[in-house]
Amino acid sequence: MPPRRCVVQDCNRVSDYELGISMHTSPANGIIRLKWKRFVRQHRKDFNPKGSFGICSQHFTDDCFTRAVHVKGTKRWIKTGSIPTIWKYYTLTSDSLSELNHLWAQKDRILIKGGIVVNDDDMIEADVFIESGLIKEVGKNLVVPGGARVIDAQKKLVMPGGIDSHTHMQLPFMGTVAIDDFYSGTRAALAGGTTMIIDFVIPKKGESLLEAYETWRNWADEKVCCDYAFHVAVTWWNDEVGDEMETLVRDKGINSFKTFMAYKDVMMLSDEEIYHCYSKCKDIGAIAQVHAENGSLIAENAKKLIALGITGPEGHELCRTEEVETEACVRAITIANQVNCPLYIVHVMSKSSAQAICDARRRGCVVVGEPIAASLGTDGTTYWNKCWRHAAAHVMGPPLRPDPTTPGYLMDLLANGDLQLTGTDNCTFNADQKALGKNDFRKIPNGVNGVEDRMSVIWEKGVASGKMDPCRFVAVTSTTAAKIFNIYPRKGRIAVGSDADVIVWDPEATRVISAKTHHQAVDFNIFEGMECHGVTEVTICQGKVVYERGELNVVRGSGRFIPTPPYASYMYDQIIKRDETRKLVKVEREPYNGPVVNTGSSELPPVVSPSQRKQKFQEQKKSE
């Protein structure tokens, strides 16, 4: 075999020097980073004897595959400088490459031994063997290749990594940008046991959906530490938007589109526009999503409160009460049902809106409801807290509800299947950002944390409280999301062939949530002081241990974009059957040949407004 060329590259933009894998355009064009000091010392004579830091890239002209190796040490990739730019070439022998491949394969093997494997439909005692980023075997007393790392999971649960179906990392919103970006946000997610997020592309009114999608991809690809996908928001409507939706589904891996009934003059659509958007979703096999609040009522209520001198965070809840959420929820369900389009209602925050979803499902509507960690873990009494900062930190839309029984009620519905899955609506802003609304609650950036704490909060409020079992926990935190967005069983299951996104969960361990110890960038935590039973002990993402007993080992930009195909069976099986069996049929009948009343002039009398009528009366009075 001819010798390969090895490349040394200066790369100051890389800031995290841990294990990881970054796949950019295809499996054949990837960059793999791993620690391998011995190899570098053996084949790189100009290295520091202590094995300082460097990168080797192995180039295969036949399949365009790139393998890179680095070693921890300095804060820079090493730069040899024999060429004025950034490259210098070395020769690797076939023996060296064979040794590299062998060591890499060993590094890539993990055996999780002695745990209880939990899926949404069963729990079994089994070992799990992982290799090359996939689950290779599940069973007892597995015989696996040598060199595998063994993780002891005795008395622990082995579950699919969480899928957070609703996040907003580094979202530009209300005059600022969410403080948790795609790096800090996904890093925190992994610490909490979530191995995939589904974020939102939100174009401005008039902005191309495709251009916004590319902008968000550029933001995410260089930062994400876990796998991710996108929903795309539709904030304006014409035929061009419909065409771009079709392109996004066909070519860009998008299968869900979100509409807003709130945020008047910013993102809100009219009922007619929503009707056309949902019709398009149905035509292309996409899922319609909705932020359900009556934006017109919110705007008028807010004006009234400001006039009364109510400018603090309590005004946020008072102008968008439970009724405002529920009305929009019912209206969205009605519109979707009229066009036979599946509907996903994000951040269900109130009892009555949750009940509206339950009622619609019992009538046969294809609709799912997503309560979030915030609505399941806390309530809106905080808006009346005397500390403005504390109250403002909880401002989100729709707001948390002041009825303290709401979280328990929503958890009951989630546990018994009336609500289907959980997200977080993670969109975080620090105190100085929230302070944009210090004199007007309408200007407080809406958003709270949750991506790191969702799994523990739901275990505490659901499983530890006796409302749901571990199988249901897996369903609402991972599996149902994977099914809805058509990435199951690649995600959301511990099974042979599934992605090796796995957590080892200690159901007996406890932790106390606090902003002082969380991994997010935000300076406040809405679950501050909550003691949670159930803690992530190990997180494995893409077959790599990225979190273990409090220590993170992530690589910036290592996450992959996961396309979500259209026509998810979980949402579309019923829809397709209804199209087949409920076709509209014209009634064939004899034409009517009888008399038709003569209505006289076809011109309608002019409409006179009360003010015009009053003005006319005053003019007549003056003429007298």
Side-chain angles (χ1 to χ4, degrees):
M1 184 176 77
R4 309 289 192 183
R5 290 196 301 176
C6 178
V7 183
V8 179
Q9 180 182 3
D10 180 280
C11 189
N12 292 321
R13 67 182 175 82
V14 178
S15 61
D16 294 276
Y17 310 122
E18 292 98 1
L19 295 181
I21 180 168
S22 177
M23 304 298 289
H24 293 291
T25 56
S26 73
N29 288 314
I31 298 177
I32 301 175
R33 302 187 182 104
L34 66 147
K35 301 173 190 173
W36 197 32
K37 292 183 180 179
R38 186 166 63 82
F39 175 83
V40 173
R41 288 176 185 154
Q42 182 177 349
H43 297 283
R44 301 289 302 283
K45 295 184 171 31
D46 59 339
F47 263 66
N48 181 312
K50 295 180 179 180
S52 58
F53 192 71
I55 180 169
C56 300
S57 293
Q58 175 183 313
H59 290 259
F60 293 83
T61 56
D62 50 349
D63 61 4
C64 299
F65 181 74
T66 304
R67 173 168 288 172
V69 180
H70 79 230
V71 178
K72 284 185 177 180
T74 68
K75 294 182 179 179
R76 292 170 58 86
W77 296 91
I78 196 159
K79 180 176 181 180
T80 59
S82 69
I83 297 177
T85 55
I86 59 174
W87 302 102
K88 184 174 180 180
Y89 296 94
Y90 293 81
T91 299
L92 299 180
T93 66
S94 58
D95 291 340
S96 300
L97 294 176
S98 176
E99 186 178 4
L100 172 60
N101 290 331
H102 176 67
L103 288 177
W104 171 252
Q106 288 186 344
K107 201 78 176 179
D108 210 22
R109 294 172 185 153
I110 299 172
L111 176 63
I112 305 173
K113 194 169 181 60
I116 299 174
V117 173
V118 185
N119 281 309
D120 67 314
D121 55 358
D122 65 359
M123 296 173 62
I124 59 170
E125 292 184 8
D127 302 336
V128 179
F129 176 59
I130 293 167
E131 186 177 28
S132 302
L134 297 175
I135 297 172
K136 294 292 188 179
E137 291 185 75
V138 179
K140 289 187 176 182
N141 303 316
L142 298 180
V143 178
V144 301
R149 177 187 172 182
V150 177
I151 295 175
D152 182 8
Q154 291 286 336
K155 299 182 180 179
K156 307 295 192 304
L157 305 180
V158 181
M159 302 188 287
I163 300 173
D164 189 338
S165 55
H166 187 161
T167 66
H168 298 284
M169 304 302 177
Q170 65 187 77
L171 174 68
F173 189 49
M174 298 182 73
T176 186
V177 178
I179 194 67
D180 274 298
D181 63 9
F182 281 99
Y183 174 64
S184 66
T186 55
R187 183 174 180 271
L190 290 167
T194 289
T195 54
M196 180 175 175
I197 65 167
I198 310 181
D199 208 85
F200 286 83
V201 174
I202 304 184
K204 300 183 181 73
K205 276 193 180 291
E207 183 183 4
S208 161
L209 274 62
L210 287 168
E211 290 178 5
Y213 166 85
E214 295 299 338
T215 297
W216 255 263
R217 280 296 305 269
N218 289 335
W219 289 345
D221 283 343
E222 67 172 347
K223 295 180 180 179
V224 286
C225 303
C226 67
D227 289 351
Y228 76 103
F230 277 137
H231 316 287
V232 176
V234 176
T235 57
W236 60 293
W237 183 260
N238 63 18
D239 290 342
E240 181 184 339
V241 172
D243 292 341
E244 289 197 330
M245 289 171 64
E246 190 169 347
T247 301
L248 286 165
V249 169
R250 184 183 65 242
D251 301 332
K252 303 296 184 179
I254 302 297
N255 78 352
S256 49
F257 295 91
K258 181 180 180 181
T259 56
F260 290 86
M261 298 176 119
Y263 302 115
K264 188 177 181 181
D265 301 324
V266 180
M267 294 181 278
M268 176 176 153
L269 296 185
S270 68
D271 287 358
E272 181 182 356
E273 290 170 326
I274 291 172
Y275 179 92
H276 289 302
C277 180
Y278 290 2
S279 296
K280 189 65 179 181
C281 285
K282 165 70 182 311
D283 291 343
I284 58 181
I287 299 161
Q289 295 184 305
V290 66
H291 174 132
E293 287 184 289
N294 188 314
S296 297
L297 288 180
I298 291 169
E300 295 304 313
N301 289 342
K303 291 177 189 176
K304 181 171 68 176
L305 290 167
I306 294 294
L308 292 171
I310 300 174
T311 61
E314 70 277 11
H316 179 75
E317 203 284 331
L318 292 171
C319 78
R320 48 211 310 162
T321 59
E322 187 167 328
E323 185 179 31
V324 170
E325 179 187 357
T326 305
E327 182 278 331
C329 193
V330 172
R331 186 156 40 100
I333 292 169
T334 302
I335 295 171
N337 198 47
Q338 287 294 301
V339 297
N340 197 26
C341 176
L343 182 65
Y344 180 118
I345 298 180
V346 301
H347 47 43
V348 178
M349 304 298 290
S350 65
K351 289 181 177 181
S352 54
S353 62
Q355 192 58 54
I357 294 168
C358 297
D359 292 344
R361 287 174 62 85
R362 291 189 181 99
R363 295 195 307 270
C365 298
V366 182
V367 55
V368 297
E370 171 210 83
I372 59 175
S375 64
L376 294 164
T378 188
D379 61 60
T381 56
T382 50
Y383 296 131
W384 281 265
N385 192 289
K386 292 293 185 180
C387 171
W388 185 93
R389 169 66 181 103
H390 184 90
H394 292 79
V395 166
M396 62 173 299
L400 295 161
R401 299 304 172 191
D403 179 355
T405 66
T406 297
Y409 182 88
L410 296 178
M411 182 57 77
D412 288 339
L413 296 180
L414 181 67
N416 66 31
D418 286 327
L419 296 174
Q420 287 65 52
L421 74 164
T422 61
T424 59
D425 195 13
N426 189 96
C427 187
T428 52
F429 300 97
N430 277 342
D432 58 347
Q433 295 173 294
K434 292 278 188 177
L436 289 169
K438 64 179 183 176
N439 298 317
D440 185 344
F441 65 82
R442 296 173 297 182
K443 298 178 181 178
I444 301 173
N446 290 194
V448 297
N449 64 286
V451 72
E452 181 173 355
D453 300 317
R454 177 182 68 117
M455 303 284 278
S456 287
V457 168
I458 294 167
W459 185 275
E460 175 66 22
K461 301 295 185 179
V463 182
S465 70
K467 292 189 175 186
M468 66 171 67
D469 65 10
C471 290
R472 182 62 184 162
F473 174 81
V474 167
V476 303
T477 59
S478 182
T479 305
T480 302
K483 290 178 178 179
I484 288 173
F485 297 106
N486 215 8
I487 51 176
Y488 179 86
R490 177 181 181 181
K491 304 288 187 182
R493 190 160 187 86
I494 304 292
V496 174
S498 297
D499 282 359
D501 294 345
V502 180
I503 60 172
V504 177
W505 186 266
D506 187 343
E508 301 301 323
T510 62
R511 73 181 181 97
V512 177
I513 297 174
S514 176
K516 295 178 182 178
T517 55
H518 71 201
H519 297 83
Q520 294 194 241
V522 67
D523 60 6
F524 191 92
N525 194 308
I526 63 170
F527 308 112
E528 187 72 34
M530 181 187 294
E531 183 180 22
C532 292
H533 299 77
V535 175
T536 303
E537 187 171 283
V538 178
T539 303
I540 298 169
C541 184
Q542 300 176 12
K544 312 293 181 188
V545 176
V546 292
Y547 177 81
E548 186 171 16
R549 296 179 178 86
E551 296 295 325
L552 276 161
N553 188 21
V554 299
V555 172
R556 183 188 184 98
S558 61
R560 301 168 297 183
F561 177 76
I562 305 298
T564 53
Y567 294 105
S569 61
Y570 187 94
M571 300 295 276
Y572 264 92
D573 280 358
Q574 286 176 268
I575 297 293
I576 293 170
K577 285 295 182 183
R578 290 178 186 186
D579 281 346
E580 294 172 353
T581 60
R582 301 183 185 182
K583 291 182 179 178
L584 300 178
V585 179
K586 175 185 175 181
V587 176
E588 298 294 339
R589 56 169 64 89
E590 293 293 326
Y592 176 77
N593 295 316
V596 179
V597 68
N598 185 358
T599 59
S601 173
S602 60
E603 293 184 6
L604 296 174
V607 177
V608 181
S609 68
S611 59
Q612 289 173 324
R613 189 177 294 110
K614 183 178 180 181
Q615 183 180 2
K616 186 176 181 182
F617 175 75
Q618 289 173 343
E619 290 173 353
Q620 287 175 345
K621 205 167 184 182
K622 284 181 182 179
S623 63
E624 293 174 357

